[in-house]
Amino acid sequence: MRGKRIGVLGDVMLDRYLWGTASRLSPEAPVPVVDFVEQNECLGGAGNVAANLASLGARVEAFGVTGSDEAGRALQACLGNAGIAHAGVVADAKRVTTVKTRIIAKHHQVVRVDQERREALRSSTEEKLLHTLFLALKHLDALVLSDYDKGLITDAFADRVLSACHRLEVPVFVKPKKSRLYAYRGARVIVCNVAEAGFFVTRELEDEKSVEEAGRALLAHFGSSAVIITRGRRGMNVLEESWPRQFHISATNTEVTYARVGQTGVARGATGRQVFDLTGAGDTVLSVVALAVAAGAELQDAAVLANAAAGVVVGKLGTASVTAAELIAAVEERRSLRGSR
């Protein structure tokens, strides 16, 4: 997978963490007083997808919009530090950079503060972004479209992007939002979680049969080659237009409480990894599937890799990515567990 050129288009965000300690309640309200220790920042949203790809050795180009503000400059610096090309990230003085600030005390998230605006892009900004993207498409092996419903991607915008990708035979991998059921028609792979899939087909998905029926319906809705439905502790299901049966992959993680942070892992006889934080797990699945398929893997093999990668990421606190070494170790661990049964 190393060296593949992958574009990431979507809502880039800055994830900001304020770390501290809390040992008393405020006299002003029944809330903890957090004594500040340190602050750090990392890429969120589409930026987290890009970070996962870069961590696995891909040559990544990011495309999106920020504000002309302090957070936008911090986000650009994070992209540069991760080795992600970001000439396609346009600064617009009329917008605000999306920032999600989490206050953490003793490994517990106390509160999250979001700074964002969701209005559609100005036409001049949209045209500038699309011009940069269309020039880059000629040398990309794949494009990941990461939609967080912050105003960047509209139906018309997505249609122009997918049409250009089809002409140049660049496969598109999408994690859709609920507000745009038909915006991504013709994508190579659609990745959604079970709640999103249930929303799309207007019913709860409670068993394998209902998940498969929903997946088949989504294949038709999106006109895509494949749909991946992630199901948390129940793993994920892969449905392909050309394959008569769904392919199920068991989860590689075991959910535990924050009280186990720093303690010995689960018993040797158990299977799976501890789950500390689900932040960004969907981004990891999307990025690994796209990169593996771009490198020549069959979709089912790519999904197995993505499942293993997500199992690594949910074992970390906060927004995180997976390295090639961690992914190899996760695959070897899964293989050894199967061999011991």
Side-chain angles (χ1 to χ4, degrees), residues 186-238:
R188 172 68 178 87
V189 178
I190 297 288
V191 178
C192 58
N193 62 41
V194 70
E196 291 164 337
F199 175 86
F200 288 140
V201 298
T202 65
R203 62 180 180 274
E204 290 189 16
L205 309 182
E206 299 176 343
D207 53 27
E208 292 295 325
K209 182 180 179 182
S210 63
V211 171
E212 180 165 11
E213 289 174 348
R216 295 294 171 195
L218 292 179
L219 283 172
H221 278 309
F222 289 115
S224 63
S225 301
V227 170
I228 295 176
I229 301 176
T230 60
R231 303 172 62 195
R233 62 185 177 84
R234 294 179 178 173
M236 65 174 68
N237 291 51
V238 181

Side-chain angles (χ1 to χ4, degrees), residues 251-265:
T252 64
N253 46 59
T254 302
E255 190 160 357
V256 297
T257 67
Y258 278 103
R260 292 193 63 92
V261 173
Q263 295 187 20
T264 305

